[in-house]
Amino acid sequence: MNPLDLFAENVPHLQHSFDPAIVFGTSSFGMTQYIFWMIICFLITIAIVLGVSKRLTLVPNNKFVNMVEYGYEFVRKDMGEGAIGHGYKKHIPFLATLFFFILISNFVGLIPGCKTPTGTISVTWALAIISFVYFNYWGVKAHGGWGYIKSIAPSGLPGPMVPVIWFFEFVSMVLRALTLAVRLYGNMFAGHMVLGVFALAISIFIGCAVQDANFIFALPPIGFMVFLIAMYALEVLVAFLQAYVFTILSAVYISLATSSH
Amino acid sequence: MELTLALSALKLVGYGLATIGPGLGIGIACYGCCMASARQPELAGRLFTNFIIGAALAEALALIGFVLAFIV
């Protein structure tokens, strides 16, 4: 049997496994596999954060507690103080929540058999809209309603240019929510698709090699396997980097909305 | 039938074209970040943050191309 034909037959099954399959309930009132894993990620996040906050000591004596504390410190120093600057302290709980939830969601997806909640566009849209509403809320709070709308366009422009620039800035502001959502979704989905394709190719080639007793088919899986491990390592990096990028962009948008131009 | 196929193929070509600009942009941003950190290693953390922000903004164009391939 030709492994490539078999591979082409099996790819639709792989694609189908990324669809939001319903775990229980109906399509209008029920739960898909991504929502199921999202709730599990919520529980893990809450368990980690609450468990660690009970064991906080002045001198760190627990490696795990110290690690989570370092993560919080990373959000506070690198993202909060670095990107927002003055008055960053009140935004840290929001940013830390986003960071830990996205980080844990991305890492849960890397365990074979688990799904990443951020691998579906609905969850990332929800996260992006939360971020969008949050920075607009703080922008309105900082400048007042009309002042915030005016502050979208930079001050000091010649009169006739103001509506044009305002329009472009407004479009770019709406695009912020879109790009936040699609960046996270695209990275997680594409990464898992690449991992899935190579894992599928390895299993099909080895299956054909065993079935036909043809050792030529056993050669490509060696290369695939090396590539798969390398891609997996890259995905671990991407999982962290995307959580970082999402959080730091939220921080930058908050600082853009609240700072006076 | 052939028109639909051509249209869906053109969407993929369009997405490929849309990635050229951001690819170049992120490459240049990474070059600048590496050069700057080599000259002033104590600023590397701050420079990396700026690099991530710039790369994310350039990447937005590629993402718009990705979305347009779906919705148009």
Side-chain angles (χ1 to χ4, degrees), chain A residues 150-166:
Chain A
K150 268 201 301 192
S151 80
I152 290 175
S155 59
L157 282 173
M161 284 298 284
V162 169
V164 181
I165 299 293
W166 188 88

Side-chain angles (χ1 to χ4, degrees), chain A residues 72-146:
Chain A
Y72 188 80
E73 192 64 25
F74 177 66
V75 175
R76 207 170 73 98
K77 271 260 154 39
D78 240 54
M79 304 182 195
E81 208 171 358
I84 300 179
H86 180 69
Y88 68 96
K89 271 192 182 137
K90 56 181 178 280
H91 303 299
I92 296 302
F94 174 73
L95 294 177
T97 312
L98 269 186
F99 180 70
F100 280 114
F101 175 64
I102 297 172
L103 188 69
I104 286 168
S105 306
N106 291 353
F107 275 126
V108 159
L110 286 171
I111 303 165
C114 302
K115 292 277 174 199
T116 168
T118 45
T120 181
I121 191 90
S122 331
V123 173
T124 56
W125 257 123
L127 288 171
I129 285 172
I130 290 169
S131 179
F132 185 77
V133 169
Y134 184 88
F135 74 73
N136 278 319
Y137 170 76
W138 280 99
V140 169
K141 209 167 176 183
H143 297 290
W146 181 239

Side-chain angles (χ1 to χ4, degrees), chain A residues 22 33 40 51 54 77 109 147 155 163 176 199 202 204 212 214 217 225 234 236 241 248 253 261:
Chain A
I22 293 163
Q33 54 179 358
I40 288 180
K54 282 216 180 76
K77 271 260 154 39
S155 59
R176 281 173 193 174
I202 290 168
I204 283 176
D212 298 1
N214 187 348
F217 290 153
M225 193 75 96
L234 185 69
V236 174
L241 203 64
I248 197 151
Y253 294 155
H261 288 288

Side-chain angles (χ1 to χ4, degrees), chain A residues 41-60:
Chain A
C41 291
F42 272 138
L43 295 180
I44 295 173
T45 315
I46 289 171
I48 287 179
V49 173
L50 289 186
V52 163
S53 67
K54 282 216 180 76
R55 294 207 188 108
L56 280 181
T57 47
L58 192 61
V59 181

Side-chain angles (χ1 to χ4, degrees), chain A residues 78 82 175 179 182-183 241 244-245 248-249 252, chain B residues 46 48-49 52-53 56 59-60 63-64 66-67:
Chain A
D78 240 54
L175 281 178
T179 52
V182 176
R183 178 179 302 113
L241 203 64
Y244 175 68
V245 165
I248 197 151
L249 282 178
V252 169
Chain B
R46 185 85 189 103
F48 182 70
T49 307
I52 289 284
I53 294 166
E59 203 187 24
L63 293 170
I64 293 164
F66 179 67
V67 173

Side-chain angles (χ1 to χ4, degrees), chain A residues 191-209:
Chain A
H192 285 91
M193 192 58 119
V194 171
L195 292 183
V197 162
F198 275 90
L200 184 69
I202 290 168
S203 74
I204 283 176
F205 271 86
I206 288 180
C208 283

